[in-house]
Amino acid sequence: MLGSLAYVVMEVLPRHGADRTMRKVKGAAVKVIDPERDLRAARAALETADTAANRTLFADTLAERGMWAEAIGHYEAGEAKAPGGSDRAIRLKRARACFEAGRFKAARDLVESLPPSASQSDNDRAALLRARLLEQAGETAGALALYAEVGERMPGAEAQCRRAALLVTLGREAEAMAPLIEAERRAQRMDRHERARRADMYAWAAETLAELRAERGQSGG
């Protein structure tokens, strides 16, 4: 089976290299055949030239594998090597790594030290992480407000799902219906590769929405 998959990746997919969907399929297939390929390449690049970009790339590959604690130091080193010893994008990634590694105070300090970005999408990504930090700290009102705010602008449905999950946790299921319905609507419009990136989250949202609809005897949104 792996031999057949390798043939498709190496011989068939390159003929469709200009197609965005084919590139995604090829990338996914390569990860199945050789899951450590990206990590080896990033490590080799770092050993060749210890630059901010290569440090960050190596940290990114660690983060993709859930190796958040290991990624933190490389993000820190990468930012130190950036011009002026500071880089907002790398610091935000480091904050995310700290959060996922359970270092919540460090993550919050980093998020609060971020300068405003000229890009609204960058500011929204930072706000989403800030909302998660507020939720973790028990500051639920602030978290809910931020989830609602950034959810109006950000693509995907992460903000809606996280807001709904918090509302359900607080026993406010009726209020969770609206963000869940919006998450369902957005998920239906995504391509399958985008949905697959957050498969567990969207599956939870769909199951929870179905349960709430059943409890209320609703047939739709």
Side-chain angles (χ1 to χ4, degrees), residues 34-62:
D34 187 359
E36 298 300 312
R37 179 180 178 180
D38 290 347
L39 187 61
R40 289 199 308 273
R43 182 181 288 111
L46 180 59
E47 291 172 351
T48 300
D50 190 355
T51 64
N54 286 341
R55 276 280 177 180
T56 304
L57 176 62
F58 186 61
D60 287 344
T61 59
L62 293 172

Side-chain angles (χ1 to χ4, degrees), residues 150-163:
V150 300
E152 294 178 358
R153 294 186 298 268
M154 291 188 73
E158 181 179 356
Q160 286 80 7
C161 290
R162 293 194 181 280
R163 181 182 172 214

